[in-house]
Amino acid sequence: MLENLMLGFQTALTPENLLWCFIGVLMGTIIGLMPGLGSTTGVAILIPLTLAMEPVTALIMLAGIYYGAQYGGTITSVLISTPGEAASVVTTLDGYQMARKGRAGAALAIAAIGSFVAAIISLALLMALAPPFAKLALNFGPVENLAIMILGLITVVSFSGGSLNKGLMMAAAGLLIATVGVAIASGQARFTFGNVNMLGGIPFVEVMIGLFALGEVFYQIRVGAAAPIRAKFRDMVISRNDLKRSGAPIIRGTFIGFLLGCLPGAGSTLASFMSYGIEKRFSPNRDEFGKGAIEGVAAPESANNAAANANFVPTLALGIPGGGTTAVLLGAFTIYGIQPGPLLFENQPELVWGLLVSFFIGNAMLIVLNLPMAPVFAQMLRIPYAYLYPIILLTSFVGAYSVNNNMFSVWLVLIFGVVGYIMKELDLPIAPLVLGLVLGPLFEKSLVQTSALGQGSFGIVLQSPIAVGILIFALALAIGPAIFRKVKPSKKDPALV
């Protein structure tokens, strides 16, 4: 292990690789700032620029774009409630509320710190446990994935705000929207009304931009021109109490993100939702969630960064992409003539360990780059809203158009912007709808495959010890806190009112 690490540092610390690593994380941060673009599109667009490079240098740069975009998406989530990345949606819930209270600097700082800690821990786990974790991930088939999806849906309870019924209703609406498109089981078009643009389903990115960015702008315009936020400098700097409150959520979020990131297809988005949900259920400050709790930023940011690194476990060890961006990176491996899989660690040690060590260096660059800049980014909120709102609208529409280069995406953003505004007026929680939309296709796919394996019977789920264990954990997550509070009543959880 030590020899491999030394080999990795020798490869990653060359001036050329350091330069392209820095360019990668910088470009990733900028790409993450642009709603709708995301790391997957950013990596795919920039692959042609790397064809003349050495494979290890090219992969170091592309990986830098990947995790740089994770943090870039956080900046817009916190400052203007516009997630640049799907995995940053949850961060808007408390990050934006912190910004409204003049604490945007602290939110951005804890996001950078949480991401860095998660990256270091997950990289250590990745280096030590990649092969055994990859073998463990192979045990996860449709049955086990169905149990994971049920566990994800259970977290709706945590996103329900003051009314569980409203949360369940919005989650059902999200699942219903997710059914638009071609049915997995029959291949028949559902709810497309003859529109070919809807055959692939309602795109998640456009819905996300509409609900959060345009919905917030429409609502603020109706409420009236709010004054720019002029926080004191000391409020923009993270405090010792913030760090104390965030320590445990960062560790929990890291391990949740790493475990889910190892599963092919689970992705960073599910990891961030689940870590937020679990944190809200068990945090001593759960009453503050949704109102600007720093734990609500620390946990999901740690989870999505850890999941981004863990996505490389199945990618490198098995040749199976862990998520959308690693699928594009897998294509890049093929272009460079490299075959990921069990033999990659033995045949290409310089490339593998150089790439893994570059994650550490890139994340160190990100925290050096972004931590001192957090109060500076927060100064953006001093811009009068008369200027800020048109900028948000412009970047939202341009970002939506750039996803598929058609006006259908722009109309979708506008429609869901109106939906987001109505939901805010009616005090309906947005997060359960987004969670239903994210989990809907994955849930349907697992459901259909499990039904086929069981020849129409779902009793096959009970034959898998892993699935049964996950379902027992989901049950404990759903009813455990309520039972605990009944035994020891101390605080009232608004999610269960």
Side-chain angles (χ1 to χ4, degrees), residues 39-45 47 62 321 323-333 335:
S39 58
T40 306
T41 308
V43 169
I45 290 173
I47 280 179
L62 294 175
T325 307
T326 47
V328 177
L329 284 171
L330 198 62
F333 273 90
I335 293 172

Side-chain angles (χ1 to χ4, degrees), residues 162-479:
S163 170
L164 181 58
N165 291 334
K166 287 181 179 178
L168 293 175
M169 186 173 69
M170 289 298 99
L175 289 172
L176 188 64
I177 294 171
T179 61
V180 175
V182 176
I184 295 174
S186 65
Q188 298 292 317
R190 295 180 303 203
F191 313 121
T192 60
F193 306 103
N195 190 329
V196 294
N197 290 308
M198 296 171 70
L199 286 175
I202 300 295
F204 173 69
V205 173
E206 287 87 329
V207 175
M208 181 182 71
I209 295 173
L211 288 176
F212 284 93
L214 267 67
E216 178 67 20
V217 169
F218 292 160
Y219 180 75
Q220 291 296 338
I221 290 174
R222 207 280 297 165
V223 170
I229 299 170
R230 300 187 182 282
K232 296 176 182 176
F233 184 79
R234 69 184 180 195
D235 292 331
M236 294 185 183
V237 180
I238 193 164
S239 66
R240 185 176 297 178
N241 185 49
D242 291 332
L243 292 171
K244 184 179 177 183
R245 286 178 54 170
S246 303
I250 287 174
I251 300 299
R252 283 191 286 265
T254 298
F255 281 99
I256 292 169
F258 188 82
L259 290 173
L260 285 175
C262 288
L263 303 178
S268 306
T269 307
L270 179 59
S272 62
F273 269 96
M274 200 171 285
S275 68
Y276 183 94
I278 290 175
E279 201 59 45
K280 187 176 178 183
R281 298 291 286 167
F282 294 101
S283 171
N285 302 311
R286 53 184 170 273
D287 291 348
E288 298 178 24
F289 275 67
K291 303 171 188 171
I294 197 161
E295 296 93 334
V297 178
E301 282 301 310
S302 308
N304 74 42
N305 206 290
N309 289 328
N311 276 177
F312 283 89
V313 170
T315 305
L316 294 176
L318 298 173
I320 301 172
T325 307
T326 47
V328 177
L329 284 171
L330 198 62
F333 273 90
T334 308
I335 293 172
Y336 305 136
I338 300 165
Q339 179 59 52
L343 297 178
L344 184 65
F345 283 79
E346 294 181 14
N347 295 339
Q348 304 265 4
E350 185 178 345
L351 182 142
V352 172
W353 291 100
L355 180 62
L356 294 180
V357 169
S358 79
F359 293 174
F360 171 80
I361 297 170
N363 278 284
M365 287 178 178
L366 270 178
I367 196 167
V368 171
L369 194 67
N370 291 309
L371 194 56
M373 293 293 289
V376 179
F377 286 134
Q379 295 296 322
M380 179 179 166
L381 296 176
R382 289 175 175 265
I383 300 174
Y385 285 100
Y387 301 113
L388 196 57
Y389 288 156
I391 295 172
I392 296 173
L393 292 173
L394 179 65
T395 55
S396 297
F397 287 130
V398 170
Y401 184 82
S402 68
V403 175
N404 291 314
N405 291 326
N406 64 28
M407 286 300 294
F408 178 72
S409 297
V410 177
W411 285 113
L412 269 183
V413 166
L414 186 60
I415 290 169
F416 278 96
V418 174
V419 172
Y421 164 73
I422 294 172
M423 290 177 71
K424 281 181 175 293
E425 287 287 350
L426 299 178
D427 194 25
L428 296 173
I430 295 177
L433 188 148
V434 176
L435 184 64
L437 190 60
V438 170
L439 293 183
L442 300 173
F443 182 68
E444 182 184 2
K445 182 181 175 184
S446 302
L447 203 64
V448 170
Q449 290 177 335
T450 302
S451 174
L453 284 174
Q455 298 181 334
S457 170
F458 289 103
I460 192 174
V461 175
L462 300 178
Q463 297 174 16
S464 166
I466 295 176
V468 171
I470 294 170
L471 290 176
I472 291 173
F473 178 68
L475 185 64
L477 189 65
I479 64 174

